[in-house]
Amino acid sequence: MSNAETRGAGDTEAHEGRVTSGIPRLDFILQGGLKQGGTYALMGPPGSGKTILANQFCFNHIARDDGRCVYMTLLIESHGKMLRHLEQLSFFRMESVPEKVYYISGYQKVRDEGFAGLLELIRATLRERRATIFVIDGMESAEQFASSRQAYGEFIHSLQALMSLLGCTTLLLSNVRERTHVEHTLVDGVLELSDQLIGPRAVRELTVHKFRGSNYLRGRHEVEISSAGIVVHPRTEVQFAHPVSSGQEMRHRMAFGLPRLDEMLGGGLPSGSTTALLGAPGTGKTLLGLSFLVEGARRGEKGMYFGFYEPPPRLIEKAEAVGLPLGRYVREGGITLVWQPPLEHFMDALAEQLLEPLRLEGSKGLRRLFVDGAEGFRAAAVYQERMPRFLSALTNQLRSLDVTTVMTDELELFQPQLNLPTAELANVVESVVLLRYVEMRSQIRRLLSIMKMRESRYDTSLREFRISQDGIDVADSFRSAESILSGMSRMRDDARDPDDTERGGASAARSKKARAAKKTTKKKDARPKPTRGSGGSRRGPRGSRGDGGGP
């Protein structure tokens, strides 16, 4: 297991003989960058970001390594149009053109003189410019001028030999091609950018199909294009596929600051563990999580809130309304608030935003984390089937960083049974705490219970969870009700109000008396009535002895 695998994408190291792209996390996917002198195919449909990636590679290279780049186009369109588009991106530096980034067209040369003339132009330009990076944009145009498939293959082979001799790393840009294309069999690596609609979302992804002589992260990785250029987000479950076996060996308890709850938990949550806090909207999940952060800050343990729904000012106002001094600890730096509006995000980008500050803080940094809304990750997932592996990788990484995490997940407001919206969350966490509404005496109350606490003793009793302007609190017990978790609570006999019992006993006596009176009336109605002319004698049904059938 390499160090890069355990540290994640934010810690990409420079490797000998590699040329780093400087594109966030692309070098991590390539395990150090492209190989010096190697030739790589970069394919994708129009609009997928090929030109931006190649130019970003060039400008990052001259900024980081003081290199020189030649960018050749085999397309009819002019360079001026492309440069005007690139000016909108922050990595572009016009002052580097043409001294360090030299743009040249090869279209006329290949049209008039074929591959021989094009190769001679490339050789002369690269030597004159002392280029270390070379890009050819529009390889499909070059192929159109090839007399045969073999001729095109020989051109690629000659180009590759030249680049290896010059030690110049080369990118060949083209539209989407088949994996078996002759170009792909000859080059040192094949990278693909895709741009497709998945449901209503437009999703760009990067896939490395081939990379000779080196390991790399396989599969699709999300890509974003912003004013800073291209950003690649490696899949979290691949990025942390080999977590360290454990974090800190010495465990201690991380309290909520609520004495009865901490007593139920045996002093608090085990450090370095992850806890799922489940409940319907309004049951108090956010306030309980904020209490966990505030108690940590009070003890000198830094914490971070990572949520999707409530902006920081509203969150502080909400906490302070119940006596939690959140604003004070935010101002003092004990608690960091990170708010992500629930808009269109990528799941792996959210994980990076969460994990990178924790890694940068190191072992003496953030100790407590409150993630308010696992559903925020679920909503950002393009492929829902990734959720179990994603959550497993994320929680494993948090454990390895020795961060104690509380993560909420929202249940439906009205449901008699517990149906977890993120069922896999309960499998990857050490503890599960449930908050639930319960209807009693025509009132709604909140109930707290600990459903699971791995490798630790805990109190299994049900407690009332109260929220008021005086603060949040957990009651001594909730003995007055039973069958609460089934969603059909009922009062216990020994918990009934004495007045109710007296009223209930009197009512039962009246009911018993009424039933007895009704029974007597029914018996009277069942007696045979005297028949006219019988002399008042009682006669039974026909065929009986009273019918004259006797001796």
Side-chain angles (χ1 to χ4, degrees):
M1 180 171 56
S2 69
N3 291 333
E5 288 172 329
T6 59
R7 286 196 299 268
D11 304 306
T12 303
E13 290 181 333
H15 289 64
E16 188 176 357
R18 298 292 185 105
V19 181
T20 57
S21 68
I23 296 173
R25 302 175 190 84
L26 175 58
D27 297 323
F28 177 78
I29 290 173
L30 300 176
Q31 302 289 285
L34 301 176
K35 291 190 173 181
Q36 186 176 5
T39 300
Y40 299 91
L42 174 61
M43 63 177 181
S48 59
K50 302 185 300 296
T51 302
I52 293 178
L53 188 149
N55 278 281
Q56 193 173 352
F57 184 23
C58 290
F59 282 90
N60 287 344
H61 179 61
I62 62 175
R64 294 160 64 102
D65 304 322
D66 196 26
R68 290 172 176 266
C69 306
V70 170
Y71 197 106
M72 175 178 282
T73 57
L74 299 178
L75 306 171
I76 298 177
E77 64 182 9
S78 66
H79 291 147
K81 188 175 181 180
M82 180 176 68
L83 294 179
R84 283 197 298 275
H85 292 158
L86 291 175
E87 283 178 338
Q88 310 299 320
L89 301 172
S90 61
F91 63 79
F92 182 78
R93 297 285 184 273
M94 183 57 85
E95 60 270 22
S96 299
V97 182
E99 183 62 26
K100 293 188 174 181
V101 181
Y102 184 72
Y103 292 91
I104 182 174
S105 174
Y107 178 79
Q108 187 172 355
K109 182 66 72 172
V110 69
R111 185 194 63 185
D112 297 343
E113 302 178 23
F115 289 138
L118 182 61
L119 277 173
E120 184 55 36
L121 175 64
I122 292 171
R123 184 181 295 109
T125 305
L126 295 183
R127 285 179 172 165
E128 178 187 352
R129 294 287 168 180
R130 295 177 286 119
T132 47
I133 298 292
F134 179 48
V135 178
I136 302 182
D137 193 351
M139 288 299 294
E140 62 274 12
S141 297
E143 190 174 10
Q144 291 175 1
F145 292 108
S147 57
S148 65
R149 181 182 175 92
Q150 182 180 356
Y152 183 72
E154 289 175 352
F155 166 69
I156 297 295
H157 180 73
S158 301
L159 182 66
Q160 191 174 26
L162 176 63
M163 296 303 116
S164 179
L165 181 65
L166 298 175
C168 184
T169 305
T170 303
L171 284 177
L172 307 178
L173 277 57
S174 64
N175 289 328
V176 177
R177 299 173 182 238
E178 295 178 356
R179 298 274 300 276
T180 56
H181 193 275
V182 60
E183 188 176 297
H184 297 167
T185 60
L186 295 173
V187 296
D188 297 304
V190 178
L191 286 70
E192 179 183 1
L193 284 170
S194 61
D195 185 11
Q196 58 182 329
L197 289 175
I198 300 178
R201 301 182 62 177
V203 180
R204 290 188 177 93
E205 294 173 312
L206 180 139
T207 306
V208 181
H209 293 292
K210 169 185 173 182
F211 201 78
R212 277 178 182 160
S214 175
N215 193 16
Y216 60 95
L217 299 189
R218 297 170 61 86
R220 297 175 179 174
H221 308 284
E222 294 164 349
V223 172
E224 287 184 290
I225 299 179
S226 67
S227 59
I230 280 188
V231 178
V232 185
H233 304 291
R235 295 198 326 279
T236 303
E237 59 269 32
V238 177
Q239 187 177 168
F240 303 112
H242 304 286
V244 294
S245 58
S246 63
Q248 300 294 322
E249 294 183 358
M250 296 298 294
R251 295 289 176 201
H252 55 277
R253 297 288 175 165
M254 312 288 274
F256 277 85
L258 303 175
R260 295 187 185 90
L261 175 57
D262 292 331
E263 182 182 349
M264 292 173 70
L265 295 166
L269 301 174
S271 61
S273 67
T274 302
T275 298
L277 187 55
L278 311 177
T283 49
K285 301 183 299 298
T286 300
L287 288 176
L288 188 56
L290 292 177
S291 177
F292 178 71
L293 293 180
V294 168
E295 176 62 13
R298 190 183 68 79
R299 297 171 179 237
E301 298 165 349
K302 286 187 176 181
M304 182 169 79
Y305 168 89
F306 191 89
F308 298 91
Y309 301 104
E310 295 177 274
R314 184 175 297 178
L315 199 67
I316 292 173
E317 181 182 353
K318 179 177 180 178
E320 296 190 342
V322 297
L324 293 173
L326 179 63
R328 170 191 156 195
Y329 289 117
V330 170
R331 289 190 296 272
E332 293 177 354
I335 296 175
T336 303
L337 303 180
V338 180
W339 174 55
Q340 283 293 331
L343 304 175
E344 192 163 291
H345 299 290
F346 287 108
M347 187 167 66
D348 298 307
L350 291 174
E352 290 161 7
Q353 192 174 358
L354 174 64
L355 291 172
E356 290 190 357
L358 300 175
R359 283 200 297 260
L360 293 174
E361 288 281 346
S363 59
K364 296 183 180 180
L366 295 168
R367 298 273 57 84
R368 296 185 181 218
L369 171 65
F370 174 38
V371 180
D372 196 8
E375 59 272 16
F377 292 108
R378 189 170 57 250
V382 176
Y383 307 102
Q384 292 294 324
E385 61 271 23
R386 285 186 52 203
M387 280 301 291
R389 296 188 297 277
F390 171 84
L391 287 174
S392 178
L394 180 65
T395 53
N396 282 337
Q397 189 62 16
L398 290 171
R399 286 186 199 98
S400 69
L401 294 169
D402 198 31
V403 174
T404 308
T405 305
V406 174
M407 184 181 299
T408 66
D409 200 10
E410 194 154 286
L411 306 178
E412 292 183 12
L413 187 58
F414 301 107
Q415 60 174 3
Q417 297 178 342
L418 292 177
N419 296 318
L420 298 181
T422 314
E424 52 274 6
L425 181 63
N427 298 326
V428 300
V429 299
E430 284 86 354
S431 307
V432 176
V433 176
L434 174 67
L435 291 172
R436 193 170 192 189
Y437 288 122
V438 57
E439 180 183 349
M440 297 194 66
R441 299 183 192 280
S442 301
Q443 289 189 341
I444 299 295
R445 299 186 184 182
R446 296 179 178 88
L447 172 75
L448 181 146
S449 60
I450 302 171
M451 306 293 291
K452 165 187 173 183
M453 200 166 176
R454 192 177 293 165
E455 299 176 359
S456 180
R457 298 179 65 181
Y458 61 95
D459 188 343
T460 58
S461 62
L462 310 177
R463 304 291 183 95
E464 185 174 5
F465 180 64
R466 303 190 186 106
I467 301 175
S468 69
Q469 59 183 5
D470 297 327
I472 57 178
D473 190 22
V474 177
D476 286 332
S477 68
F478 209 120
R479 291 177 296 179
S480 57
E482 60 183 13
S483 299
I484 290 173
L485 291 183
S486 68
M488 295 177 288
S489 61
R490 61 176 183 271
M491 299 295 297
R492 287 167 42 148
D493 291 340
D494 57 356
R496 292 183 185 279
D497 188 282
D499 293 338
D500 288 350
T501 306
E502 186 177 347
R503 289 194 294 271
S507 176
R510 286 195 297 271
S511 298
K512 185 176 181 181
K513 188 176 179 179
R515 285 196 300 272
K518 188 175 181 180
K519 188 174 182 182
T520 303
T521 302
K522 191 174 181 181
K523 284 181 178 179
K524 289 179 180 178
D525 293 343
R527 290 175 184 172
K529 295 181 180 179
T531 306
R532 184 177 297 177
S534 63
S537 62
R538 298 173 59 186
R539 295 182 62 183
R542 185 176 294 179
S544 68
R545 291 184 62 180
D547 215 14

